[in-house]
Amino acid sequence: MKTVVAPSRQSRPGLLWHTIALAALVVLSPLAEAGSREQAKRIFDRIAGVPADEATIDELQALIDADAGGREGRIEAARQAMEHPSFYNVTLKNFVTPWTNRDANVFAPLNDYTATVIGMVRDDVDFRTALYDDIIYVANGTSAPGYSNSSNAHYEYLEQNHANLKDVLVRRQQSAVTGLRAEATAGLMTTRAAAKSFFIAGTNRAMFRFTLMNHLCNDLEQVKDITRVPDRIRQDVTRSPGGDSRLFNNTCIGCHNGMDPLAQAFAYYDFQYDTAADPEGSNGSLVYNDVGMTDPFTGTRVKKKYHINENNFKPGYVTPDDRWDNYWRAGPNKLLGWDESLPSGGNGAKTMGRELAHSEAFAQCQVKKVFKTVCLRNPVDSADRSELATITDSFKASGYQMKQIFAETAAYCAGE
């Protein structure tokens, strides 16, 4: 450890440097110099996403001062800031929109996925149900065109006419709005926006991958585990890419052995559109093979896309139904914190969505995302990581209410 010698009176340059260093330490200490008014302003800016007027700052400052600058005063100030419409129209809209498309484009139009998250946050709905409930939010009391299974006009109208999303969004049963059977609904995963982005073409693995990324904060690379049994990997995955089976055994298998059994939950879903006249799928819609329906190619309820490129490896797995199993409950991915009270397998997207949403990784992910949005940075040190753990516990104790995360995170970052 280096010994620091105090500067003598004659050592003016050393004294000056020492003073500057102390000043820097003060600046770097988050709450050391940030007064209650500055904290109030920062909380509002981070929560509402727009500048606050003086009267609003006065109100939030009073809440902070009433608690003598304590944590609860800052949390209350953050909750008050959430009453502003811009929390919904600006902060939450920008927060959620990247989850709804493959490019993570924050400028994508408002849609049913984004609106449903906004409504759930406003209403303090258990956020785990976002991946499995029969839920959707639509507008009420506006001149917007009605919800359509083949158009996003309903939501684009709201955005173009600057509708106050805090006031106009109402909760509905997704099955009643879209006509999808209640048992086939799976919250955000069966919204039109999600289907257009993640069920379109392909093999439906995209829906699983992007749900994993957006709601468990892990991409396939982070959950790769070559030790799981590969018995459910489909025929389209060649076992000797480039003629080298080692590549499959050491790389490909690590993602597909866990992903394919889980993505089987989506076997009856597709996004239907006219590829020639509407290549972007703007007028397409989610389709589902219900009981009694069969795909002419497979002869079962399973969509043709699950048998795509079947000649790549004929002995591979042929999907017979929408039975899913979670092979990641064992091995290193057990650390994702699966809920042992739930069955490790089932049928359909609804039960698989519950499996994902009731994991510890899901709860931690929501906290990480809000932290980056509100603090404008990723966690960097042990103090940040400790705070994330505290907020995660609070999130769970609140019944998985997202506003709890926003409030506590804003309180933590108020002095930065």
Side-chain angles (χ1 to χ4, degrees):
M1 183 175 179
K2 186 178 179 180
T3 302
V4 179
V5 179
S8 66
R9 291 183 179 180
Q10 287 76 29
S11 181
R12 296 301 179 187
L15 180 59
L16 177 60
W17 179 254
H18 184 68
T19 303
I20 292 173
L22 286 175
L25 287 174
V26 169
V27 170
L28 292 174
S29 178
L31 296 176
E33 287 298 317
S36 59
R37 190 165 190 81
E38 184 179 354
Q39 291 179 42
K41 183 179 184 302
R42 186 167 291 118
I43 286 171
F44 187 87
D45 288 348
R46 301 285 177 84
I47 291 293
V50 294
D53 55 36
E54 293 300 312
T56 299
I57 297 176
D58 289 343
E59 184 179 0
L60 301 190
Q61 182 183 4
L63 293 171
I64 296 172
D65 289 340
D67 190 39
R71 173 186 171 88
E72 291 304 316
R74 297 195 301 275
I75 289 175
E76 188 58 35
R79 286 194 169 276
Q80 185 62 36
M82 288 181 217
E83 294 299 312
H84 195 279
S86 288
F87 173 61
Y88 301 93
N89 281 51
V90 178
T91 303
L92 286 182
K93 201 272 181 181
N94 292 340
F95 177 64
V96 179
T97 300
W99 314 347
T100 70
N101 61 87
R102 297 192 188 210
D103 297 326
N105 179 14
V106 70
F107 300 109
L110 181 72
N111 53 55
D112 53 355
Y113 187 129
T114 304
T116 298
V117 174
I118 291 172
M120 293 181 73
V121 174
R122 183 199 64 190
D123 295 344
D124 287 327
V125 177
D126 181 337
F127 199 66
R128 295 174 299 177
T129 64
L131 294 187
Y132 57 85
D133 205 359
D134 183 5
I135 187 172
I136 195 169
Y137 278 76
V138 298
N140 188 39
T142 73
S143 299
Y147 182 93
S148 171
N149 288 334
S150 59
S151 168
N152 192 45
H154 178 76
Y155 298 97
E156 291 179 10
Y157 176 93
L158 299 179
E159 187 165 32
Q160 292 165 2
N161 289 274
H162 310 291
N164 183 346
L165 300 180
K166 179 186 175 186
D167 291 341
V168 303
L169 293 178
V170 292
R171 178 176 178 169
R172 295 284 185 263
Q173 286 185 313
Q174 190 176 133
S175 56
V177 172
T178 68
L180 191 64
R181 186 162 59 90
E183 291 80 1
T185 62
L188 302 175
M189 294 190 292
T190 49
T191 57
R192 182 181 182 275
K196 180 178 180 294
S197 291
F198 311 129
F199 280 150
I200 193 169
T203 60
N204 283 359
R205 292 184 179 102
M207 179 63 78
F208 178 77
R209 181 198 172 202
F210 282 91
T211 301
L212 188 71
M213 290 169 58
N214 293 324
H215 295 285
L216 273 73
C217 291
N218 280 279
D219 201 350
L220 293 171
E221 187 65 30
Q222 284 81 57
V223 296
K224 185 167 66 175
D225 174 15
I226 63 173
T227 67
R228 299 303 94 203
V229 179
D231 63 327
R232 298 275 283 277
I233 301 179
R234 295 181 224 162
Q235 295 173 306
D236 63 322
V237 180
T238 178
R239 270 51 170 186
S240 298
D244 188 351
S245 62
R246 293 173 300 177
L247 185 60
F248 170 78
N249 289 324
N250 295 316
T251 304
C252 307
I253 193 174
C255 297
H256 283 282
N257 58 12
M259 171 175 59
D260 282 16
L262 286 163
Q264 191 170 327
F266 305 125
Y268 302 159
Y269 298 88
D270 200 357
F271 185 75
Q272 185 174 290
Y273 66 107
D274 187 331
T275 56
D278 181 25
E280 299 299 320
S282 299
N283 300 311
S285 59
L286 173 67
V287 291
Y288 174 78
N289 279 349
D290 213 327
V291 178
M293 300 174 65
T294 58
D295 186 287
F297 183 86
T298 66
T300 68
R301 292 174 66 187
V302 176
K303 291 290 186 180
K304 178 181 178 180
K305 58 170 53 183
Y306 274 72
H307 290 217
I308 195 171
N309 295 326
E310 59 183 336
N311 291 321
N312 280 354
F313 187 70
K314 271 292 187 181
Y317 185 70
V318 179
T319 305
D321 53 31
D322 65 350
R323 166 76 193 193
W324 63 269
D325 288 281
N326 186 1
Y327 286 13
W328 288 337
R329 282 206 176 196
N333 290 317
K334 186 175 183 178
L335 294 175
L336 293 174
W338 307 106
D339 185 346
E340 297 295 335
S341 71
L342 296 176
S344 61
N347 287 89
K350 184 182 288 291
T351 55
M352 197 277 288
R354 185 185 297 270
E355 172 79 343
L356 298 179
H358 282 247
S359 68
E360 184 69 19
F362 177 89
Q364 293 173 352
C365 181
Q366 313 317 310
V367 176
K368 291 175 185 175
K369 292 184 297 187
V370 173
F371 188 96
K372 185 172 183 179
T373 294
V374 174
C375 297
L376 305 181
R377 61 179 178 82
N378 288 313
V380 295
D381 55 26
S382 59
D384 287 347
R385 289 187 287 272
S386 176
E387 184 66 19
L388 287 178
T390 297
I391 297 175
T392 301
D393 289 341
S394 182
F395 176 46
K396 292 186 286 187
S398 74
Y400 295 85
Q401 296 176 1
M402 288 292 287
K403 280 191 285 193
Q404 185 70 26
I405 306 178
F406 276 94
E408 294 196 28
T409 304
Y412 178 71
C413 298
E416 294 184 350

